[in-house]
Amino acid sequence: MSSNWNLSVLYTDPKSKILAKDFESFEQESKAFLKWCEENFKESQNAGQKLEQYLNKLDNLSKFETIKAYIYLNLAVDTTSAEFARLNSKNEKISVLAKQVKNQLVLFLKKVDDLEVLIQNSALLQNYAFFLKEAKEKADKLLNANEEYILAKMSLNGSKLWSKQWQQITSTLNVEYKNENLTLSEIRNLASDASSAVRKEAYLSELKAYEKIDIASSFCINGIKGEVIELCELKGYQSPLEMTLKEARLDKEVFEAMMGAIKQSLPQLQEYFIKKAEFLGHKNGLPFYDLFAPITKNSQEYSYGDATKLVYEHFSRFSQKMGDFAKKSFDEEWIDVYPRKGKVGGAFCYPIQSVKQSRILLNYSGSIDNVFTIGHELGHGYHNYCLNTENYLNTEYSMPIAETASTLCENIIVQAALENASNDEERLNILEKDLSRSLQCIVDIYSRFLFEDGLFKKRAEGFVSKEELCAMMLDAQKQAYGKGLDENFLHPYMWVCKTHYYNASYNYYNFPYAYGTLFSKALFERYLKEGQEFVAKYDAMLAYTGKASLYEVGNFVGVNLKDKNFWLSSLELIIKDIKAYQEAKI
């Protein structure tokens, strides 16, 4: 079993004739499709027939998804590759045409007054009813075709280029540590080292290293956020948050209920950090470098092979379908496992629905946290797998529900680890890791939301300096963590190392983690009560996520997401674990 992912199902070589031919076909078919739209979407006569033809053509164009996937995945493990950087630029230029094809549909639907009737009279349109209605809802926020084309072209040398620069400078950053040069991923992995001295020195080395790239990173984040602000103004959104909620299929009432519940619960959630500080001998709250510190001597290391066996076994207990999916992912080498120079940090799952597969990036170092991460990323992959029965155009889901699927699978591994713990010390260690991850997704995510929301408002007034960015991050951490963190040891550069701030297409990619954590907690509680009866409903819910709003997905499983009490009940599950944590002895 290779530790590098296998991309041969896409292409075998960047110079392959098949890839070159697909590039040519992608460009030709995109141009021909765009011309068809311009000719056929002038008038709304025979709208039903035109929409059917359009959907068939768009579904066919999806086969070229393999080009983007191949390039993106290769750049993820080698951001310094000039060859793939050139291919990426070439693909982005063609993708601008494909984006205009989608915009043409939205502009055409502006002219269609009887969409509901057309859908009722066509089996094909019924299958894509949500896709069409969602496109029509976007009509009021879309500029004309020429303006949209110009914006898309300009972004190639604007936000997309800023994003590439940030990826390159962070993935190649040398962090000086004990006369060694480590990658950012390697130094951040030391945050969970058993030695307090190692953790603190790694933290200080990390902060010192950011000084080499903080000015460049500040220009990247200003460029990206500035473009988003201008785009929102042009399209008539009141704020980037309004645009993000719309794109996430998230009702404002749902968002406010969730965030209100989190804010209300912060004092109880902060008790975890206060207790952990006590465990580790700190008096003024937890220093940032000890956020991920082990609190017991039980810091079992897991080889990657052992981790895959554990995940397969317990996924299979949830359902054989899920276990078989995990085995397929391992056996067919869908996962890139270990950190290396030039590879992006963190972890992600990339869906390739045109070939009904996914690819998963890890930076595995052997901790129980890393095992949980395998479960988390495979959860994304399983979500994609459950959508394989859907037509391609019904497989796109929003970020909050994506983080629900991943976190539920993570919960499966956590529960299994707790059940298999051989003693109280090991059980406490697992509980500590679970709480740490959950509260990263709620408390730390809340701080990141506060930072980004403040950044958008301040960026609208002008350029935000690196000093201001650091001050804003510190303030956000103080608001979210309260007395839980030692104010003398916070992390002013968290805005540099988090990839979610550096993509103009994915703003506020922070609250989806809070959503996923809390929604999945409620779903997992249902599973513990209902067992296998729940599993079939869960799989059906995942298959439904590409053609429904988040509120509708909640209704599908009998949950009112606009009710603040629902979110408070999920938070109470975490608070219950915090109370058990507070009562534990070391």
Side-chain angles (χ1 to χ4, degrees), residues 163-177:
S163 180
K164 290 173 189 174
Q165 181 183 8
W166 174 83
Q167 283 189 344
Q168 201 274 336
I169 62 178
T170 52
S171 64
T172 58
L173 177 65
N174 284 325
V175 184
E176 297 174 12
Y177 175 77

Side-chain angles (χ1 to χ4, degrees), residues 1 120 153 193 252 380 433 502 543 569:
M1 180 169 60
Q120 291 173 12
K153 288 280 284 185
D193 193 90
K252 184 180 179 181
H380 286 303
K433 297 297 184 184
Y502 293 87
S569 66

Side-chain angles (χ1 to χ4, degrees), residues 425-550:
E425 183 179 346
E426 184 179 353
R427 193 170 293 106
L428 175 60
N429 183 55
I430 295 165
L431 176 61
E432 143 63 26
K433 297 297 184 184
D434 183 38
L435 281 171
S436 175
R437 290 173 72 88
S438 292
L439 295 175
Q440 276 288 297
C441 291
I442 299 173
V443 178
D444 196 66
I445 286 299
Y446 188 73
S447 75
R448 294 187 221 172
F449 172 81
L450 292 175
F451 168 81
E452 187 165 7
D453 202 45
L455 173 57
F456 272 122
K457 291 170 184 173
K458 197 168 185 64
R459 180 67 182 92
E461 300 170 358
F463 186 88
V464 187
S465 69
K466 65 172 187 175
E467 292 83 6
E468 291 173 306
L469 289 164
C470 287
M472 291 169 63
M473 181 57 76
L474 290 176
D475 182 62
Q477 288 171 0
K478 290 174 184 177
Q479 287 188 59
Y481 284 95
K483 295 181 180 179
L485 285 188
D486 184 339
E487 292 190 5
N488 296 306
F489 293 98
L490 300 177
H491 197 308
Y493 283 115
M494 189 58 67
W495 60 272
V496 177
C497 64
K498 289 300 176 184
T499 184
H500 301 148
Y501 295 131
Y502 293 87
N503 190 322
S505 300
Y506 299 105
N507 302 290
Y508 291 101
Y509 198 178
N510 32 59
F511 71 78
Y513 285 95
Y515 180 103
T517 296
L518 295 176
F519 191 30
S520 69
K521 286 282 184 185
L523 293 177
F524 193 69
E525 191 75 2
R526 287 267 296 275
Y527 163 69
L528 293 177
K529 292 177 180 176
E530 299 175 16
Q532 289 303 304
E533 182 181 334
F534 169 84
V535 172
K537 185 179 292 185
Y538 176 68
D539 287 352
M541 185 201 80
L542 293 182
Y544 181 55
T545 54
K547 49 190 180 184
S549 70
L550 294 182

Side-chain angles (χ1 to χ4, degrees), residues 572-585:
E572 190 57 42
L573 295 172
I574 298 172
I575 292 167
K576 180 181 176 182
D577 285 341
I578 292 174
K579 290 176 180 176
Y581 183 76
Q582 289 176 300
E583 294 171 1
K585 306 290 183 183

